[in-house]
Amino acid sequence: MHVLYLFDIDGTLLRADGAGRRAFDRVMLAHHGIAQASHDIQFGGKTDRWLVDEVYQARLHRAARTAEVDAFIADYLVLLDEELQAKPLRVLPDVVACLRWLQQLPNVTLGVATGNVRRGAELKLAQAGLTDMFVFGGWGCDSADRPTLVQRAVERGRDLVPPAQRTNTFPIVVGDTVHDIAAARMAGAHACAVTTGGDSRSTLAAADVVFDGLGELPAWHAAKFPTATPFSIE
Ligand SMILES: [Mg+2]
């Protein structure tokens, strides 16, 4: 058995406190002269390209053309970097300890499954000091559709598993929204939810397990896969 973890980023590992939304709004203002264009749009669990299309539908009452989405994302990445420099993101409690503990286990490989396009994910993980924790991923540039990018992440993770174990992999999505849970189901992955993104336990009840923080994950993992060593936060 080889366990593949696919971690969502925003609300699960860290909180960027609106940096993405501010960057989004700055692009809409620059491209279409519309201020605070995302004010009534929920960002959680959605992919970058999905959000561009949703903003276009809400403010311009039409779909975004592919070239417009590409131009939007290119400018968004520049402004996201600026916003993150101006107001650094916060790594959520126990995230580093949890990832370090998982990282030292045999037969466990860590990746990301995020709606951020790859460059956006890299900016956030670099500022969080988490870049080296993950060796594969699925990103918002793989697809606007979250289940599709989760499936790509599972495939990339499986490619890293020794061939003898490849037919016996156990993918686990860890995320903070119903979109993460739905995508996990459609990709055939186990679904762990965390309430650190703001969604409540009852909202996330469709998950296989709900944690109030990633500090709870190691004990769950150790119980589910009993060869693991006990967890302690020093
Ligand atoms: Mg999230």
Side-chain angles (χ1 to χ4, degrees):
M1 168 80 72
H2 194 104
V3 181
L4 296 171
Y5 273 99
L6 297 89
F7 284 92
D8 169 57
I9 294 180
D10 296 280
T12 301
L13 301 176
L14 55 86
R15 296 199 65 148
D17 292 324
R21 185 183 291 278
R22 291 192 296 277
F24 243 79
D25 285 351
R26 288 174 67 187
V27 178
M28 254 337 244
L29 186 60
H31 289 197
H32 296 288
I34 299 168
Q36 298 182 329
S38 72
H39 69 91
D40 56 352
I41 290 171
Q42 296 281 332
F43 274 45
K46 296 175 182 170
T47 65
D48 286 347
R49 299 181 80 88
W50 173 1
L51 282 166
V52 174
D53 201 58
E54 193 167 328
V55 170
Y56 264 64
Q57 292 287 1
R59 302 285 94 87
L60 300 171
H61 311 291
R62 66 173 177 85
R65 290 186 284 271
T66 302
E68 289 174 321
V69 180
D70 291 343
F72 192 110
I73 296 288
D75 286 349
Y76 161 77
L77 288 169
V78 174
L79 298 176
L80 176 66
D81 194 18
E82 278 187 26
E83 293 291 344
L84 289 171
Q85 298 301 328
K87 187 166 186 258
L89 53 76
R90 295 177 295 131
V91 179
L92 287 161
D94 301 332
V95 164
V96 173
C98 169
L99 295 175
R100 286 220 177 105
W101 183 81
L102 288 172
Q103 217 178 18
Q104 49 80 42
L105 297 176
N107 305 321
V108 172
T109 302
L110 304 186
V112 294
T114 173
N116 287 276
V117 295
R118 186 164 184 168
R119 178 67 188 145
E122 287 170 352
L123 288 172
K124 290 176 182 176
L125 292 178
Q127 190 174 70
L130 298 176
T131 304
D132 295 340
M133 298 286 190
F134 305 104
V135 296
F136 71 98
W139 299 273
C141 42
D142 288 318
S143 177
D145 175 56
R146 194 169 189 113
T148 304
L149 75 85
V150 170
Q151 186 60 50
R152 288 294 294 125
V154 171
E155 290 162 7
R156 289 177 181 133
R158 278 203 181 115
D159 286 344
L160 299 176
V161 173
Q165 296 176 39
R166 209 167 282 165
T167 55
N168 192 20
T169 52
F170 193 93
I172 301 175
V173 165
V174 186
D176 67 308
T177 71
V178 291
H179 301 301
D180 300 72
I181 299 167
R185 293 276 175 259
M186 292 175 78
H190 209 68
C192 294
V194 281
T195 59
T196 46
D199 280 355
S200 65
R201 275 184 170 269
S202 56
T203 305
L204 300 169
D208 294 293
V209 61
V210 183
F211 306 125
D212 285 325
L214 284 187
E216 296 174 19
L217 188 147
W220 173 82
H221 180 102
K224 190 165 184 66
F225 307 100
T227 53
T229 50
F231 178 65
S232 66
I233 295 179
E234 286 137 30

